[in-house]
Amino acid sequence: MRYHLAGNIPPKRHTIFKSPEDKFYYEQLFGTEGFHGISSLLYHIHRPTQIKSIGEPKDVTPKIAVEKNVAPRMFKGMNVTPEDDFMDSRKILLMNNDLKMGLAKPRKSMDYFYKNAECDELLYVHQGTGILKTFIGDLEFVTGDYLIIPRGTIYQVELGSDDTVFFVLESHSPIYTPKRYRNEFGQLLEHSPFCERDIIAPVFKEPVDEKGEFLIKVKKENQITDFIYATHPFDVVGWDGYFYPYKFNIKNFEPITGRIHQPPPVHQNFEGHNFVVCSFCARMYDYHPLAVPAPYNHSNIDSDEVLFYTEGDFMSRNHIDLMDFTLHPGGIVHGPHPGAMERSIGKKFTEEYAVMVDPFRPLKITEEALKVEDPSYKTSWLE
C-alpha cells in the first residue's frame, strides 16, 4: 500500500479540527494489529459511536461436512444458488482456521451497510459491474476486479445487474501484496508483476450529513448482528493513511514467463497468514524448443491447492467449466489430465484466467460444497 489523502484533514493529527460553521469534526483511527499495523485517520461530521440499538445475533457458522479431506474434488460453481440478499448469497464452500472461501450470487443491491469486524475480505468479480461504496469513497468495479476490503470497513454494494458473481475469500489475517516484491521502503520492485499504478484507491465522495436510523450489519465470530446507528456512516469529510479498500484488475497482472515451465509462486498476487492468492493470466508459453507447457505432476506436500476457473480454456484440465472450483489436498500427487500434456506441446500462448488459493493448513469442506460437487472428478485421471 502507499500513502493516500482525500478530502479535508487538519495539518496535524490528533489536534482540534472544526467545520466552517465552527463545529468539531471527530477523528477515528482505522487500522489493524493494535497500533502496530498500517492505518488511516478518518474525520467524521458526527461521532461514529452513536449506537441506538443492537439486535439479536444471527449465527452464520458454515456447516462442516468433511473435517479431514484427502480426495481431489471439483465443485460446480454454476450450480451454487443465487439469493436476493448480498449476505445470504455468500455460500462458503471451503474453510480452515485462517480463511473461508466460496461464491456469492446476489441479485439485489444492499439497502443496509455491512462491516466485517474480524476478517479482511477479497471479492473477485467473476462477472458483473457495480459500485463498492465505502465510508471513504467509491470503487466502481467490473469483471476481473479484485476488491480488497480491510476488516472494519463499512460498505455497501450497488449492483449493475442481477447476475453478478463474486468469488469470496475472508481472511483472519490482513491481506497484503507479496513482501518479496517490495523494497525496504515498501515500494514495489521493478521485477514485480504489477506496480502502484495498478492499485486503485476509492474515489472520494462528499460526506453525507444525515441523522436517523441506519442499519449496519456487523459480522464477528460467525455471527451477524444488526446495529442501528443515529448518523449516516458515510459522513467522512477527509482521511489519510495507508489503510483503505482498493481494487486491482486481474488483467493488469503481468505474468512472469521463462524458457521452461515456471512454478506457481511466479503467479502470486496476494498473501495472508498461512495462505497465498495467485492470478493465472493470459501469457506466452515456455519457449525452450523442447518445453512442455503443461504443468508437471506435483504433490503440494505443505499446502492444499484451490483453483477457481474464471475465463478462457484450461489446457491442463478436461471437462472444466467456468465458475468451477478444484481442490487438490496437500500430499496427494496431482497434475494434468490425460492428453493435456501432449496437447500442450508446441502451443505458443494461453488465454486462460484463474484465481488460485494455496492454504498452508488443510481445508474443511462444507455442506454447501457437497451440494454442488462432481463426484467423478477424483477418478478423472484414469486412462
Side-chain angles (χ1 to χ4, degrees):
M1 302 300 290
R2 58 177 171 169
Y3 178 78
H4 196 81
L5 181 156
N8 297 314
I9 64 172
K12 188 76 172 175
R13 61 183 178 173
H14 315 326
T15 58
I16 293 172
F17 183 34
K18 290 186 175 182
S19 71
E21 295 77 31
D22 201 38
K23 294 182 179 179
F24 283 106
Y25 290 135
Y26 298 94
E27 186 181 61
Q28 175 193 352
L29 178 68
F30 175 51
T32 61
E33 299 180 313
F35 293 88
H36 169 74
I38 59 174
S39 63
S40 292
L41 286 169
L42 284 55
Y43 295 88
H44 296 266
I45 294 173
H46 303 283
R47 291 183 181 87
T49 51
Q50 298 183 61
I51 299 170
K52 297 184 79 169
S53 65
I54 301 177
E56 290 297 316
K58 173 186 176 183
D59 184 75
V60 291
T61 305
K63 293 180 171 57
I64 302 300
V66 180
E67 187 81 24
K68 298 177 181 179
N69 175 64
V70 294
R73 296 175 183 264
M74 181 167 71
F75 308 102
K76 308 297 289 183
M78 192 70 71
N79 297 333
V80 169
T81 305
E83 305 282 357
D84 285 345
D85 180 74
F86 182 81
M87 293 310 302
D88 289 346
S89 74
R90 289 193 180 191
K91 310 295 184 184
I92 300 302
L93 307 180
L94 303 163
M95 63 178 289
N96 61 22
N97 290 335
D98 300 310
L99 57 82
K100 303 179 183 72
M101 66 181 116
L103 273 190
K105 298 180 179 180
R107 289 182 290 207
K108 294 184 178 180
S109 300
M110 297 166 65
D111 58 1
Y112 53 86
F113 304 93
Y114 172 67
K115 174 168 69 173
N116 195 323
E118 67 175 348
C119 287
D120 281 28
E121 296 187 349
L122 179 157
L123 304 181
Y124 174 79
V125 186
H126 170 73
Q127 67 182 39
T129 61
I131 305 173
L132 175 70
K133 298 182 174 182
T134 81
F135 57 2
I136 60 168
D138 291 358
L139 286 167
E140 294 188 11
F141 61 80
V142 298
T143 298
D145 277 339
Y146 287 102
L147 303 172
I148 306 298
I149 308 171
R151 69 200 62 199
T153 303
I154 299 172
Y155 72 85
Q156 286 181 316
V157 173
E158 181 179 296
L159 300 176
S161 64
D162 62 0
D163 61 352
T164 303
V165 179
F166 297 101
F167 166 87
V168 177
L169 187 150
E170 297 184 30
S171 169
H172 287 277
S173 62
I175 297 174
Y176 297 129
T177 53
K179 294 181 179 64
R180 71 176 185 277
Y181 289 136
R182 294 185 177 276
N183 63 24
E184 65 269 32
F185 304 103
Q187 184 179 15
L188 287 163
L189 297 165
E190 281 295 300
H191 65 275
S192 169
F194 48 88
C195 75
E196 283 82 359
R197 298 179 192 180
D198 302 317
I199 296 172
I200 309 300
V203 176
F204 184 73
K205 296 294 181 181
E206 288 301 309
V208 181
D209 182 3
E210 291 182 12
K211 295 182 179 180
E213 295 193 344
F214 301 91
L215 171 60
I216 303 178
K217 292 181 178 286
V218 177
K219 184 177 181 182
K220 190 165 187 179
E221 295 189 293
N222 288 318
Q223 292 184 325
I224 295 179
T225 304
D226 289 356
F227 281 68
I228 303 296
Y229 279 83
T231 58
H232 197 290
F234 294 177
D235 69 339
V236 174
V237 299
W239 68 277
D240 78 328
Y242 290 78
F243 193 59
Y244 48 87
Y246 66 90
K247 68 177 180 179
F248 174 90
N249 194 278
I250 195 170
K251 294 188 177 179
N252 285 327
F253 188 92
E254 301 300 332
I256 297 170
T257 60
R259 284 198 353 128
I260 58 174
H261 190 80
Q262 300 296 294
V266 302
H267 305 289
Q268 187 182 344
N269 210 156
F270 306 102
E271 65 188 19
H273 179 63
N274 284 330
F275 73 91
V276 298
V277 179
C278 298
S279 294
F280 285 82
C281 299
R283 61 195 182 277
M284 299 300 295
Y285 276 144
D286 325 309
Y287 46 89
H288 187 285
L290 298 178
V292 178
Y296 37 77
N297 299 299
H298 54 287
S299 300
N300 270 32
I301 294 294
D302 296 316
S303 67
D304 286 6
E305 177 188 288
V306 175
L307 268 171
F308 173 69
Y309 300 86
T310 185
E311 184 180 334
D313 184 25
F314 298 89
M315 60 88 175
S316 64
R317 289 282 173 267
N318 302 333
H319 314 302
I320 288 290
D321 296 319
L322 299 186
M323 251 189 281
D324 283 353
F325 287 79
T326 55
L327 165 62
H328 294 106
I332 307 300
V333 178
H334 67 283
H337 270 138
M341 182 194 77
E342 294 81 356
R343 289 195 305 269
S344 76
I345 294 172
K347 296 290 180 65
K348 300 300 183 184
F349 60 89
T350 176
E351 295 294 336
E352 68 189 22
Y353 289 87
V355 177
M356 186 178 85
V357 181
D358 275 9
F360 302 145
R361 293 177 179 170
L363 290 166
K364 302 172 185 179
I365 298 167
T366 68
E367 292 181 1
E368 289 290 345
L370 293 191
K371 291 178 184 178
V372 296
E373 184 179 14
D374 179 350
S376 69
Y377 183 70
K378 60 178 68 71
T379 57
S380 59
W381 287 265
L382 289 171
E383 297 185 38

